[in-house]
Amino acid sequence: MRERINRLARGIMDYDEIQVSFSTVKIEAPVIFDDKMRDEFRIVCEQGKTVKGLVYSSNYRVSLFSDNFVGKDCRVVYEVDASHADEDIAGEFQIVCSGGEFRIPYCFHVCAMDPEGRQIETLEEFAGLVREDEEEALRFFES
């Protein structure tokens, strides 16, 4: 014990190297305009040790249900709010934990949905809907 205290006094630290892995390294997904979407990613300690830390989102439209985590297999749940979003929602999750600092970039593509439940992501898809059924396209445009 004395030897350990002396090493600490000299600035020599013994760290247990913690290796963490993530269920994804980049998040890309569509989100429907004026809707909310909930999803998650996982942080896992590969040695079976407990990892603890904090998660931040760089975009105000992406919120976390809990900004801290502790455990061997941690679930980080987030929600994307596309209310009145006029462009894609991009940013990154910043993770500061006992295994280091990490970033997971994300981009949520805001798209519209027609009344039949199909997603309209591009102008070409909307033009195709107009060719198929003008009345339906008009209802979709007004919604």
Side-chain angles (χ1 to χ4, degrees), residues 28 51 56 60 69 92 101-102:
E28 278 195 61
V51 62
Y56 305 98
Y60 72 96
F69 59 91
E92 64 185 9
E101 295 182 19
F102 305 93

Side-chain angles (χ1 to χ4, degrees), residues 47-143:
Q47 294 101 343
K49 296 180 181 177
T50 299
V51 62
K52 55 185 166 183
L54 300 169
V55 182
Y56 305 98
S57 174
S58 65
N59 192 311
Y60 72 96
R61 292 186 179 274
V62 180
S63 59
L64 298 153
F65 282 93
S66 176
D67 63 349
N68 58 36
F69 59 91
V70 176
K72 297 174 185 173
D73 185 1
C74 305
R75 200 176 108 194
V76 178
V77 180
Y78 59 89
E79 183 175 77
V80 181
D81 185 3
S83 301
H84 309 291
D86 55 353
E87 58 186 23
D88 289 350
I89 300 167
E92 64 185 9
F93 291 113
Q94 300 160 350
I95 302 153
V96 180
C97 66
S98 53
E101 295 182 19
F102 305 93
R103 298 179 191 281
I104 298 178
Y106 57 76
C107 184
F108 299 100
H109 306 287
V110 178
C111 59
M113 182 178 280
D114 73 8
E116 293 179 1
R118 296 181 297 189
Q119 289 185 358
I120 306 291
E121 296 184 24
T122 64
L123 186 59
E124 290 79 23
E125 291 175 2
F126 181 72
L129 179 62
V130 171
R131 284 191 290 273
E132 290 175 17
D133 187 355
E134 287 183 21
E135 303 247 340
E136 190 72 29
L138 181 61
R139 280 195 300 274
F140 173 72
F141 182 74
E142 291 174 345
S143 66

Side-chain angles (χ1 to χ4, degrees), residues 1-10 12 14:
M1 181 61 129
R2 180 174 287 203
E3 179 183 328
R4 184 165 187 231
I5 292 171
N6 287 334
R7 288 193 343 208
L8 288 173
R10 288 187 301 240
I12 301 171
D14 293 331

